[in-house]
Every structure is written in structure tokens, then in C-alpha cells.
Amino acid sequence: MKVGVWFYGLGTALTGILDIAWGAFDASHQPIKYLPGQHILAYVAGVWLVAAGLAILWQRSARIGAAASAIAYLIFVAFWLPRYYAGIHAYGLRMAVLVGISFGLAQQLMLVAPAAIVYASTASPDSLLQKRAAIAARWMLGLPPVIFGLFHLTSIRIFASIVPHWMRFGYFWAALTGIAFILAGSAICSGIMDVLAARLLALMLLLFEGFVEIPPIFVRLHSQPTWGAAVYNVTAIGACWIFAEFLAGRADRRRIGSAENVAMSRPDPVVA
């Protein structure tokens, strides 16, 4: 999981650096508004995220870093919940409103999954903690892509507009991306070809990073949401890769254990 951990840890640390640099929360990912001392809270959260992201990169402090990361992202998840009431109150009970708010919530929930895996990875492979972490991570990482896909399909005009101009047929690519998200999330939740789905999801996010997220930075250099989108994508790539390698490692251990059990159950050959 080393590659995924580096993506996740650096993405978390960079998220904190952005909060510190702007002295404010990224509203598109951290919907914390109208609180007294908001700028101070942004600095505190930034330092917390930087420390958590760096701590998770080293084995001795990985468990502390994972716990700190999970706490931070769960707080951001919690701040999305009041938006359901505010959104319905302002725009009415509409599918687009519910899916749009769920999209923001799912983005942060997805980042809790790798923290749970890294935290539990220090325990024994057969421990109850690892089994529970695997189940929790599967749903926290699998449901968000399904919500992403639904949001792509219900707001296809918005996503078609951010497809690079040199890629023609923007609506096609937006719809294809939405379907790919739904298929990947469904595979992860169901456990059918979940490792492949997580790896392909990481690859798709990596392509987004190069084609969609990074180029706008050169145009909107002083925009925190633009930087935040690119940094979030890096963190999400790490989340997918950690999950994929965690599952692959568990499958390898089961195969090795089964092979050892079969070998031990065979009778010793008779030596003439």
C-alpha cells in the first residue's frame, strides 16, 4: 500500500497547506461557514491535516496519522449534513438537490476509508479489527463513486462543460464517466472484481488529474477551489490504491494459507 499511502498522505497534507495559505476553508469540500473565528479554525484544521498527512507516511506514526485523518474528514462529512435541510428549504425537495449535496458528502466520506485501513493494518491480518475495517472501508469507498456517477448523469450539462475543449463530444464523455463511476462503485460494494474496479477507478482519477484538474490551475492560479479540486483528486487516488492493495494482500494471504493447509494435510511420502 506504500504508493497509495504516499498519495493519500501528501494529498491530506496539501489540503491542510491550502487551508493555511488562504486562511479559509475550501467551500467546495469543507462546507464550514458562519462560525465565529472561522479563519482561526481554518488555520487549526490546516495544521491538523498537515500533521496527519505527514504522520501517516511513516510506519511508527501511521496509526496516529490515520486516526487524525479520519477524524478530520468525518468532521467535514458532518458539516455537509445541515445542507440537506438548507438545500431543501431553499430549492425544494428535488432529486438534483439531494444528489448534489450527497456528492459533496460522499467526497469526504470516501477519504475516511483509507484511514480506517491504515489504522487497522497494524493489527493481525485475522483480527476482528481488520475484518471490520475491511467491511467499513468497502462501503465508504464503494458508495461514493455510485453517488458521483448519479450526479454526473443528473447534471450532465455541468460536467460536459468541464470536459477539455480539445476532446469533442463532451456529453458523451460526461455520461461515460458517470456510468464508469457507478460500475466501479457497484463492483467494490458487491465484492465482484473489486480489486480491479478500485485500480481502474484510481486510473480514471489519475487521468482526470492530468486532463481536467491541473490545467485550470495555470489559468486560475489564485483560486482555492481550483487548487482544492486538484489536491482532492490526489488524495482520492491514494484512497482507491490503498483499498485495492489491501484487498489484494488479504487475498494473497488466504491463498498462501490454503496452500499451506493442503500441503500439511497430505501424507508424507513413503521412503524406500
Side-chain angles (χ1 to χ4, degrees):
M1 300 189 299
K2 288 183 179 179
V3 175
V5 169
W6 275 94
F7 268 91
Y8 181 77
L10 291 177
T12 298
L14 288 172
T15 301
I17 290 173
L18 294 181
D19 288 343
I20 296 171
W22 265 269
F25 292 103
D26 177 10
S28 58
H29 296 97
Q30 307 162 341
I32 301 176
K33 288 185 175 182
Y34 312 117
L35 290 179
Q38 183 175 327
H39 293 295
I40 297 176
L41 291 176
Y43 289 125
V44 172
V47 173
W48 181 283
L49 288 168
V50 171
L54 294 179
I56 207 170
L57 299 179
W58 282 271
Q59 187 173 2
R60 291 185 177 180
S61 57
R63 198 168 192 182
I64 296 174
S69 299
I71 291 171
Y73 290 124
L74 282 172
I75 290 174
F76 297 146
V77 168
F79 273 95
W80 276 102
L81 296 176
R83 291 206 167 190
Y84 283 102
Y85 172 78
I88 293 172
H89 181 75
Y91 303 104
L93 185 58
R94 297 164 51 193
M95 180 61 68
V97 174
L98 296 177
V99 175
I101 298 171
S102 299
F103 175 80
L105 185 150
Q107 282 185 311
Q108 300 305 307
L109 182 63
M110 185 176 180
L111 301 186
V112 181
I117 290 173
V118 174
Y119 184 87
S121 64
T122 57
S124 170
D126 297 324
S127 67
L128 183 60
L129 177 61
Q130 274 215 13
K131 293 177 181 178
R132 288 180 175 176
I135 295 172
R138 180 179 298 281
W139 289 99
M140 287 190 293
L141 195 84
L143 286 177
V146 175
I147 297 173
F148 299 164
L150 291 175
F151 191 43
H152 273 70
L153 296 178
T154 56
S155 305
I156 192 168
R157 181 178 299 179
I158 297 174
F159 288 97
S161 66
I162 65 176
V163 174
H165 296 300
W166 57 269
M167 293 179 64
R168 305 183 67 179
F169 311 109
Y171 281 89
F172 167 77
W173 292 111
L176 181 64
T177 300
I179 294 170
F181 270 127
I182 292 173
L183 291 176
S186 300
I188 292 171
C189 289
S190 65
I192 301 173
M193 301 181 72
D194 47 3
V195 175
L196 177 61
R199 287 173 176 169
L200 290 176
L201 182 57
L203 176 60
M204 185 169 70
L205 293 175
L206 184 61
L207 294 175
F208 287 173
E209 187 71 9
F211 293 145
V212 178
E213 304 297 354
I214 291 180
I217 291 177
F218 298 99
V219 180
R220 299 186 290 272
L221 190 61
H222 301 288
S223 170
Q224 185 182 11
T226 303
W227 280 94
V231 169
Y232 172 83
N233 218 41
V234 171
T235 318
I237 292 169
C240 296
W241 198 257
I242 288 172
F243 180 76
E245 296 311 308
F246 175 71
L247 289 185
R250 285 174 63 87
D252 289 341
R253 285 193 294 269
R254 283 196 294 266
R255 282 195 294 268
I256 293 172
S258 298
E260 289 177 348
N261 291 335
V262 170
M264 292 176 64
S265 64
R266 290 176 180 172
D268 294 333
V270 177
V271 180

